[in-house]
Short mmCIF file of all heavy atoms in Angstrom, two decimals:
data_model
loop_
_atom_site.label_atom_id
_atom_site.label_comp_id
_atom_site.label_asym_id
_atom_site.label_seq_id
_atom_site.Cartn_x
_atom_site.Cartn_y
_atom_site.Cartn_z
N PHE A 30 157.35 161.73 -41.40
CA PHE A 30 156.95 162.56 -42.54
C PHE A 30 157.43 161.85 -43.80
O PHE A 30 158.60 161.47 -43.90
CB PHE A 30 157.58 163.95 -42.47
CG PHE A 30 156.80 164.92 -41.64
CD1 PHE A 30 157.32 165.41 -40.45
CD2 PHE A 30 155.56 165.39 -42.06
CE1 PHE A 30 156.60 166.33 -39.69
CE2 PHE A 30 154.84 166.30 -41.31
CZ PHE A 30 155.37 166.78 -40.12
N VAL A 31 156.52 161.70 -44.75
CA VAL A 31 156.82 161.03 -46.01
C VAL A 31 156.71 162.05 -47.15
O VAL A 31 155.71 162.77 -47.26
CB VAL A 31 155.85 159.85 -46.25
CG1 VAL A 31 156.10 159.22 -47.62
CG2 VAL A 31 155.99 158.82 -45.14
N TYR A 32 157.76 162.09 -47.96
CA TYR A 32 157.85 163.01 -49.09
C TYR A 32 158.25 162.21 -50.32
O TYR A 32 159.27 161.52 -50.31
CB TYR A 32 158.91 164.09 -48.80
CG TYR A 32 159.19 165.05 -49.91
CD1 TYR A 32 158.26 166.01 -50.28
CD2 TYR A 32 160.40 165.02 -50.58
CE1 TYR A 32 158.53 166.92 -51.30
CE2 TYR A 32 160.70 165.92 -51.59
CZ TYR A 32 159.75 166.88 -51.95
OH TYR A 32 160.02 167.77 -52.95
N GLU A 33 157.42 162.25 -51.33
CA GLU A 33 157.69 161.50 -52.57
C GLU A 33 158.02 160.04 -52.28
O GLU A 33 159.05 159.51 -52.72
CB GLU A 33 158.79 162.18 -53.39
CG GLU A 33 158.39 163.57 -53.85
CD GLU A 33 159.48 164.29 -54.64
OE1 GLU A 33 160.65 163.84 -54.63
OE2 GLU A 33 159.16 165.32 -55.26
N ASP A 34 157.17 159.41 -51.48
CA ASP A 34 157.30 157.99 -51.09
C ASP A 34 158.59 157.68 -50.35
O ASP A 34 159.08 156.55 -50.38
CB ASP A 34 157.17 157.07 -52.31
CG ASP A 34 155.79 157.15 -52.93
OD1 ASP A 34 154.79 157.23 -52.17
OD2 ASP A 34 155.69 157.17 -54.17
N ILE A 37 161.46 161.14 -44.69
CA ILE A 37 162.48 162.19 -44.60
C ILE A 37 162.70 162.70 -43.17
O ILE A 37 163.71 163.33 -42.91
CB ILE A 37 162.21 163.37 -45.55
CG1 ILE A 37 160.96 164.13 -45.16
CG2 ILE A 37 162.17 162.89 -46.99
CD1 ILE A 37 160.86 165.50 -45.82
N ILE A 59 158.98 168.11 -37.40
CA ILE A 59 158.95 169.32 -38.23
C ILE A 59 160.34 169.94 -38.30
O ILE A 59 160.81 170.35 -39.37
CB ILE A 59 157.91 170.33 -37.71
CG1 ILE A 59 156.49 169.85 -38.03
CG2 ILE A 59 158.15 171.73 -38.29
CD1 ILE A 59 155.38 170.63 -37.32
N VAL A 62 162.45 168.04 -40.65
CA VAL A 62 162.13 168.34 -42.05
C VAL A 62 162.86 169.61 -42.47
O VAL A 62 163.44 169.69 -43.56
CB VAL A 62 160.60 168.50 -42.27
CG1 VAL A 62 160.31 169.05 -43.67
CG2 VAL A 62 159.88 167.18 -42.06
N ARG A 63 162.85 170.61 -41.59
CA ARG A 63 163.55 171.87 -41.90
C ARG A 63 165.04 171.61 -42.15
O ARG A 63 165.62 172.13 -43.09
CB ARG A 63 163.37 172.87 -40.76
CG ARG A 63 161.96 173.39 -40.62
CD ARG A 63 161.88 174.43 -39.49
NE ARG A 63 160.54 174.73 -39.10
CZ ARG A 63 159.68 175.48 -39.78
NH1 ARG A 63 160.05 176.01 -40.92
NH2 ARG A 63 158.46 175.70 -39.33
N TRP A 65 166.38 168.75 -43.09
CA TRP A 65 166.46 167.97 -44.32
C TRP A 65 166.43 168.90 -45.53
O TRP A 65 167.22 168.75 -46.47
CB TRP A 65 165.31 166.96 -44.35
CG TRP A 65 165.32 166.00 -45.50
CD1 TRP A 65 165.92 164.78 -45.54
CD2 TRP A 65 164.67 166.18 -46.78
NE1 TRP A 65 165.70 164.18 -46.77
CE2 TRP A 65 164.93 165.03 -47.55
CE3 TRP A 65 163.92 167.20 -47.35
CZ2 TRP A 65 164.46 164.86 -48.84
CZ3 TRP A 65 163.44 167.04 -48.64
CH2 TRP A 65 163.72 165.88 -49.38
N CYS A 66 165.51 169.86 -45.52
CA CYS A 66 165.39 170.82 -46.62
C CYS A 66 166.64 171.67 -46.75
O CYS A 66 167.14 171.89 -47.86
CB CYS A 66 164.17 171.72 -46.41
SG CYS A 66 162.60 170.88 -46.61
N LYS A 71 166.36 172.56 -50.55
CA LYS A 71 164.97 172.49 -51.03
C LYS A 71 164.15 173.56 -50.34
O LYS A 71 164.40 173.89 -49.18
CB LYS A 71 164.37 171.12 -50.73
CG LYS A 71 165.03 169.99 -51.49
CD LYS A 71 163.99 168.97 -51.88
CE LYS A 71 164.60 167.86 -52.66
NZ LYS A 71 164.11 167.78 -54.01
N ASP A 72 163.17 174.07 -51.04
CA ASP A 72 162.27 175.07 -50.47
C ASP A 72 161.35 174.39 -49.46
O ASP A 72 160.60 173.47 -49.80
CB ASP A 72 161.44 175.71 -51.59
CG ASP A 72 160.52 176.77 -51.04
OD1 ASP A 72 160.97 177.93 -50.90
OD2 ASP A 72 159.35 176.44 -50.75
N GLN A 73 161.41 174.84 -48.20
CA GLN A 73 160.62 174.23 -47.13
C GLN A 73 159.13 174.26 -47.43
O GLN A 73 158.43 173.26 -47.21
CB GLN A 73 160.87 174.94 -45.81
CG GLN A 73 162.21 174.70 -45.21
CD GLN A 73 162.38 175.43 -43.90
OE1 GLN A 73 161.43 175.77 -43.21
NE2 GLN A 73 163.64 175.69 -43.53
N GLN A 74 158.64 175.38 -47.91
CA GLN A 74 157.21 175.48 -48.18
C GLN A 74 156.76 174.46 -49.21
O GLN A 74 155.71 173.83 -49.04
CB GLN A 74 156.85 176.89 -48.65
CG GLN A 74 156.80 177.90 -47.53
CD GLN A 74 156.31 179.25 -48.02
OE1 GLN A 74 156.67 179.68 -49.12
NE2 GLN A 74 155.49 179.89 -47.22
N ASP A 75 157.55 174.28 -50.26
CA ASP A 75 157.19 173.30 -51.28
C ASP A 75 157.18 171.89 -50.70
O ASP A 75 156.29 171.09 -51.00
CB ASP A 75 158.18 173.36 -52.46
CG ASP A 75 158.04 174.62 -53.29
OD1 ASP A 75 156.99 175.31 -53.18
OD2 ASP A 75 158.99 174.94 -54.03
N VAL A 76 158.17 171.59 -49.88
CA VAL A 76 158.25 170.25 -49.29
C VAL A 76 157.09 170.03 -48.32
O VAL A 76 156.40 169.00 -48.39
CB VAL A 76 159.61 170.04 -48.59
CG1 VAL A 76 159.62 168.74 -47.78
CG2 VAL A 76 160.74 170.02 -49.62
N PHE A 77 156.84 170.98 -47.42
CA PHE A 77 155.75 170.81 -46.46
C PHE A 77 154.41 170.60 -47.16
O PHE A 77 153.59 169.81 -46.71
CB PHE A 77 155.66 172.00 -45.50
CG PHE A 77 156.66 171.95 -44.37
CD1 PHE A 77 157.54 173.00 -44.17
CD2 PHE A 77 156.72 170.87 -43.51
CE1 PHE A 77 158.46 172.97 -43.13
CE2 PHE A 77 157.64 170.81 -42.47
CZ PHE A 77 158.52 171.87 -42.28
N ARG A 78 154.19 171.28 -48.27
CA ARG A 78 152.93 171.15 -49.01
C ARG A 78 152.78 169.81 -49.72
O ARG A 78 151.71 169.49 -50.22
CB ARG A 78 152.80 172.28 -50.04
CG ARG A 78 152.49 173.61 -49.41
CD ARG A 78 152.20 174.66 -50.48
NE ARG A 78 152.38 175.97 -49.91
CZ ARG A 78 153.18 176.91 -50.40
NH1 ARG A 78 153.87 176.69 -51.49
NH2 ARG A 78 153.29 178.07 -49.81
N ALA A 79 153.85 169.03 -49.77
CA ALA A 79 153.81 167.73 -50.45
C ALA A 79 153.98 166.55 -49.48
O ALA A 79 154.11 165.41 -49.92
CB ALA A 79 154.91 167.68 -51.51
N LEU A 80 153.97 166.82 -48.18
CA LEU A 80 154.20 165.78 -47.19
C LEU A 80 152.93 165.06 -46.77
O LEU A 80 151.84 165.62 -46.81
CB LEU A 80 154.80 166.39 -45.91
CG LEU A 80 156.22 166.90 -45.97
CD1 LEU A 80 156.58 167.57 -44.65
CD2 LEU A 80 157.19 165.79 -46.27
N THR A 81 153.11 163.85 -46.30
CA THR A 81 152.08 163.14 -45.55
C THR A 81 152.70 162.83 -44.19
O THR A 81 153.84 162.38 -44.12
CB THR A 81 151.67 161.82 -46.24
OG1 THR A 81 151.11 162.14 -47.52
CG2 THR A 81 150.65 161.06 -45.41
N LEU A 82 151.93 163.11 -43.14
CA LEU A 82 152.37 162.80 -41.79
C LEU A 82 151.65 161.55 -41.31
O LEU A 82 150.42 161.48 -41.39
CB LEU A 82 152.06 163.95 -40.82
CG LEU A 82 152.30 163.64 -39.34
CD1 LEU A 82 153.77 163.40 -39.05
CD2 LEU A 82 151.74 164.75 -38.47
N ALA A 95 150.14 173.80 -35.75
CA ALA A 95 151.45 173.88 -36.40
C ALA A 95 151.41 173.23 -37.78
O ALA A 95 151.98 173.77 -38.75
CB ALA A 95 152.51 173.21 -35.53
N LEU A 96 150.73 172.11 -37.90
CA LEU A 96 150.64 171.42 -39.19
C LEU A 96 149.90 172.26 -40.22
O LEU A 96 150.26 172.28 -41.40
CB LEU A 96 149.97 170.05 -39.01
CG LEU A 96 150.79 169.04 -38.21
CD1 LEU A 96 149.93 167.86 -37.78
CD2 LEU A 96 152.01 168.59 -38.97
N ARG A 97 148.90 172.99 -39.76
CA ARG A 97 148.19 173.90 -40.69
C ARG A 97 149.10 175.03 -41.11
O ARG A 97 149.12 175.43 -42.28
CB ARG A 97 146.94 174.46 -40.03
CG ARG A 97 145.74 173.59 -40.29
CD ARG A 97 144.47 174.24 -39.90
NE ARG A 97 143.99 175.21 -40.86
CZ ARG A 97 142.73 175.61 -40.92
NH1 ARG A 97 141.84 175.10 -40.09
NH2 ARG A 97 142.35 176.52 -41.80
N GLN A 98 149.83 175.59 -40.16
CA GLN A 98 150.69 176.73 -40.48
C GLN A 98 151.76 176.38 -41.50
O GLN A 98 152.12 177.22 -42.33
CB GLN A 98 151.33 177.30 -39.22
CG GLN A 98 150.33 178.05 -38.38
CD GLN A 98 150.97 178.70 -37.18
OE1 GLN A 98 151.96 178.21 -36.63
NE2 GLN A 98 150.42 179.82 -36.76
N ILE A 99 152.26 175.17 -41.47
CA ILE A 99 153.29 174.79 -42.43
C ILE A 99 152.72 174.21 -43.72
O ILE A 99 153.45 173.97 -44.67
CB ILE A 99 154.34 173.83 -41.81
CG1 ILE A 99 153.69 172.53 -41.36
CG2 ILE A 99 155.10 174.52 -40.69
CD1 ILE A 99 154.66 171.48 -40.88
N GLY A 100 151.41 173.96 -43.74
CA GLY A 100 150.75 173.56 -44.98
C GLY A 100 150.75 172.08 -45.30
O GLY A 100 150.59 171.71 -46.47
N VAL A 101 150.89 171.22 -44.29
CA VAL A 101 150.84 169.77 -44.55
C VAL A 101 149.44 169.41 -45.04
O VAL A 101 148.46 169.76 -44.39
CB VAL A 101 151.19 168.98 -43.26
CG1 VAL A 101 150.93 167.49 -43.44
CG2 VAL A 101 152.63 169.22 -42.87
N PRO A 102 149.32 168.71 -46.19
CA PRO A 102 148.00 168.44 -46.75
C PRO A 102 147.28 167.21 -46.18
O PRO A 102 146.06 167.13 -46.26
CB PRO A 102 148.28 168.24 -48.23
CG PRO A 102 149.69 167.74 -48.28
CD PRO A 102 150.40 168.38 -47.12
N LEU A 103 148.03 166.23 -45.64
CA LEU A 103 147.41 164.98 -45.20
C LEU A 103 148.06 164.47 -43.93
O LEU A 103 149.29 164.37 -43.85
CB LEU A 103 147.52 163.91 -46.29
CG LEU A 103 146.97 162.52 -45.94
CD1 LEU A 103 145.47 162.57 -45.63
CD2 LEU A 103 147.26 161.53 -47.07
N VAL A 104 147.22 164.13 -42.96
CA VAL A 104 147.67 163.52 -41.71
C VAL A 104 146.92 162.20 -41.55
O VAL A 104 145.70 162.16 -41.63
CB VAL A 104 147.38 164.43 -40.49
CG1 VAL A 104 147.69 163.71 -39.18
CG2 VAL A 104 148.19 165.72 -40.60
N LEU A 130 145.25 180.51 -39.91
CA LEU A 130 146.18 179.42 -39.58
C LEU A 130 146.81 178.81 -40.82
O LEU A 130 147.78 178.08 -40.72
CB LEU A 130 145.45 178.31 -38.82
CG LEU A 130 145.47 178.35 -37.32
CD1 LEU A 130 144.76 177.14 -36.74
CD2 LEU A 130 146.86 178.48 -36.76
N GLY A 131 146.24 179.04 -41.96
CA GLY A 131 146.73 178.39 -43.17
C GLY A 131 145.69 177.42 -43.69
O GLY A 131 144.59 177.31 -43.14
N PRO A 132 146.04 176.69 -44.73
CA PRO A 132 145.08 175.78 -45.34
C PRO A 132 144.73 174.61 -44.42
O PRO A 132 145.56 174.14 -43.65
CB PRO A 132 145.80 175.28 -46.60
CG PRO A 132 147.25 175.48 -46.33
CD PRO A 132 147.35 176.66 -45.39
N SER A 133 143.48 174.16 -44.52
CA SER A 133 143.08 172.98 -43.75
C SER A 133 143.80 171.76 -44.34
O SER A 133 144.39 171.83 -45.41
CB SER A 133 141.56 172.80 -43.82
OG SER A 133 141.15 172.64 -45.15
N PHE A 134 143.75 170.65 -43.60
CA PHE A 134 144.36 169.43 -44.12
C PHE A 134 143.40 168.26 -43.98
O PHE A 134 142.49 168.27 -43.16
CB PHE A 134 145.72 169.13 -43.47
CG PHE A 134 145.73 169.01 -41.97
CD1 PHE A 134 145.43 167.81 -41.34
CD2 PHE A 134 146.09 170.10 -41.19
CE1 PHE A 134 145.47 167.70 -39.95
CE2 PHE A 134 146.14 170.00 -39.80
CZ PHE A 134 145.82 168.79 -39.19
N ASP A 135 143.60 167.26 -44.83
CA ASP A 135 142.79 166.05 -44.80
C ASP A 135 143.31 165.12 -43.71
O ASP A 135 144.51 165.15 -43.36
CB ASP A 135 142.84 165.34 -46.15
CG ASP A 135 142.14 166.13 -47.24
OD1 ASP A 135 141.16 166.84 -46.94
OD2 ASP A 135 142.59 166.04 -48.40
#
Side-chain angles (χ1 to χ4, degrees):
F30 275 113
V31 176
Y32 175 71
E33 297 178 347
D34 296 320
I37 66 164
I59 286 169
V62 170
R63 292 182 194 285
W65 185 90
C66 290
K71 294 216 178 244
D72 181 86
Q73 289 181 24
Q74 283 186 320
D75 290 343
V76 171
F77 280 124
R78 287 187 200 125
L80 290 175
T81 298
L82 172 66
L96 293 166
R97 270 191 79 160
Q98 287 184 329
I99 62 174
V101 171
L103 177 62
V104 173
L130 266 183
S133 60
F134 57 85
D135 293 328

